Amino acid sequence: MAAGNDIDVLVSEVGPRDGLQSIKSIMPTVAKKAWIAAEAAAGVREIEVCSFVPAKILPQMADAEEVVRYACTIPGLTVLALVPNFRGAENAIAAGAHKIALPLSASETHSKANLRKSHAEVLDEVRRIAAVLKAMPAERRPGFEGNVATAFGCTLEGAVSADKVVELAAALMAAGVDEVGLSDTTGYANPAQLRSLIRRVKSAIGSDKLSGVHLHNTRGLGLANALAALEEGVTTLDSSLGGLGGCPYAPGASGNIVTEDLVFMLDAMGLKTGIDIEKLLAVRQILREALPNDELYGFTPDAGLPKGYSRGWGVTRAA
Ligand code: ZN
């Protein structure tokens, strides 16, 4: 399980990958480094810092290797990199990423648009990557997560069958990933659907193998979905500072859940994230300066913390 003993929920920041790949602006490397360092200093323990895709496809990620190498120098930070295929995994491993994540889209149409691969072809890549990882010494071997993307619906295919998601989660485990995550790439999920799918996937692959959920706030249900996942025992939640993010191949799907709002919700509920919310709110300034033409989202940053706020205030627990 990703959450450490001293925290209840691991908030995994994905803005430098999901956020930046979805906007036209290219953030200078120096600003990416400052962003990652400032979030780590605020107590964020895991950051998905980049995607290893060719620069001609995503020029926003051209500095992936440099960003990973830099992030790995920050003590206590788990550095996650998204990899679309075997080649990307090789590069991420060479750069020293602590963990790699590969998306497998439940919608085969989306998979072909996004990775230009069928399900069988993606699973072949997973097996090749797993074989390379297996041959590495355990102390240098990065973690390997498979993500079922478009798990709750697809802008191209519409509804996605829950049976298919369960089948693909099991296929990813069989192909050699350490754990599986579920991604609402398109912002279609609702809390009831999330609860049901989390239960089904956990019973298929083991409850300790469903690592986390990746949610978008496209229809305003992001935090409701996060709470539903939490109540189903999921302890890793992805989010993006300022709500940057989306999927370039899923038209209309924009914006991960906002890290600041997620951390405020968890913190106010008395849950430990290890994150200092005031320091976190201050990190927005780096984004505002580096991306002056891009919109930042978030209710908590706009409204400010409640007067006299402290973690878990007003929460009464039975002795
Ligand atoms: Zn996403």
Side-chain angles (χ1 to χ4, degrees):
M1 192 47 67
N5 293 333
D6 58 336
I7 58 172
D8 299 310
V9 181
L10 179 69
V11 174
S12 183
E13 170 66 46
V14 299
R17 193 280 300 171
D18 206 342
L20 292 182
Q21 79 170 37
S22 312
I23 58 174
K24 287 203 173 69
S25 321
I26 296 177
M27 187 184 259
T29 309
V30 64
K32 291 187 185 182
K33 291 178 178 176
W35 175 8
I36 292 163
E39 274 207 54
V44 174
R45 302 196 183 183
E46 182 174 284
I47 304 182
E48 190 167 276
V49 299
C50 65
S51 176
F52 278 87
V53 286
K56 65 177 188 327
I57 296 175
L58 278 181
Q60 300 95 318
M61 298 289 131
D63 55 3
E65 182 185 337
E66 185 180 346
V67 172
V68 167
R69 288 193 194 282
Y70 169 75
C72 287
T73 65
I74 301 173
L77 180 67
T78 299
V79 178
L80 186 60
L82 188 129
V83 301
N85 51 30
F86 181 76
R87 175 102 184 260
E90 277 188 318
N91 292 336
I93 295 165
H98 301 138
K99 205 167 153 188
I100 57 175
L102 185 139
L104 168 59
S105 192
S107 150
E108 202 152 27
T109 314
H110 182 268
S111 184
K112 285 176 179 165
N114 200 3
L115 299 182
R116 296 186 190 89
K117 285 186 170 64
S118 68
H119 287 157
E121 287 168 328
V122 177
L123 289 165
D124 276 344
E125 299 279 306
V126 170
R127 277 185 281 273
R128 288 178 68 200
I129 296 165
V132 167
L133 293 173
K134 206 173 167 194
M136 290 177 73
E139 66 278 8
R140 288 201 298 115
R141 184 187 305 149
F144 187 16
E145 183 183 310
N147 270 301
V148 184
T150 65
F152 303 90
C154 171
T155 45
L156 305 171
E157 283 191 11
V160 161
S161 133
D163 289 346
K164 178 53 90 180
V165 174
V166 172
E167 178 195 315
L168 292 174
L172 280 165
M173 290 301 299
V177 302
D178 303 320
E179 52 188 2
V180 169
L182 297 177
S183 293
D184 182 22
T185 316
T186 54
Y188 276 25
N190 68 68
Q193 183 189 18
L194 210 75
R195 282 182 207 282
S196 151
L197 196 57
I198 288 168
R199 285 180 196 183
R200 290 197 53 190
V201 171
K202 279 187 167 190
S203 76
I205 65 171
S207 56
D208 59 329
K209 300 297 182 196
L210 176 56
S211 54
V213 293
H214 174 100
L215 301 167
H216 282 239
N217 197 38
T218 315
R219 290 173 179 76
L221 302 191
L223 286 185
N225 288 336
L227 185 61
L230 202 62
E231 288 177 353
E232 289 300 325
V234 169
T235 56
T236 299
L237 298 168
D238 288 2
S239 61
S240 177
L241 199 79
L244 282 174
C247 175
Y249 301 101
S254 64
N256 293 102
I257 54 173
V258 176
T259 304
E260 300 92 312
D261 290 341
L262 175 66
V263 172
F264 174 66
M265 180 181 84
L266 298 170
D267 197 74
M269 289 170 70
L271 295 167
K272 286 180 281 185
T273 61
I275 298 169
D276 179 320
I277 189 153
E278 294 197 32
K279 283 189 186 166
L280 180 75
L281 289 167
V283 183
R284 279 170 78 92
Q285 194 54 32
I286 296 171
L287 266 64
R288 206 171 283 125
E289 283 167 18
L291 302 169
N293 302 317
D294 293 282
E295 201 170 343
L296 298 183
Y297 302 89
F299 289 100
T300 308
D302 285 348
L305 292 172
K307 189 175 179 187
Y309 176 75
S310 63
R311 172 155 57 85
W313 71 341
V315 177
T316 312
R317 285 205 175 76

